[in-house]
Amino acid sequence: MPSESPPLHNRIAMLRVERGISRRELAEALGVHYQTVGYLERGEYSPSLVLALQIAEYFAVPVETVFSRRPFPPLGG
């Protein structure tokens, strides 16, 4: 029986909202369907390495700022 990989945590929604970007705008910039952005934000879909790097590049941050294998600590706490 194949083992499930651990969830991939991300800050896509936080970065997107912080910058006033809609899911549709982000999707168009990345060349994906806007629903894909929603799946990514909810952790229902793990991006390919190329897509993860595109997302980080779009937000001009290191990929580790967007994605983590462990939950991110709360901000400002």
Side-chain angles (χ1 to χ4, degrees):
M1 183 161 58
S3 63
E4 243 184 78
S5 58
L8 185 65
H9 303 276
N10 73 76
R11 288 181 166 150
I12 298 169
M14 183 197 77
L15 289 164
R16 187 177 56 72
V17 170
E18 187 178 81
R19 289 164 169 79
I21 299 160
S22 72
R23 282 186 179 156
R24 205 172 285 273
E25 288 170 318
L26 179 57
E28 287 174 8
L30 299 172
V32 299
H33 193 277
Y34 76 93
Q35 286 181 323
T36 300
V37 174
Y39 294 141
L40 288 165
E41 289 180 351
R42 292 187 301 273
E44 295 172 8
Y45 171 72
S46 291
S48 67
L49 178 57
V50 171
L51 182 54
L53 292 169
Q54 281 180 299
I55 293 166
E57 187 177 285
Y58 177 83
F59 289 115
V61 296
V63 73
E64 298 88 356
T65 299
V66 186
F67 297 99
S68 176
R69 292 187 55 187
R70 295 190 184 118
F72 287 102
L75 295 174

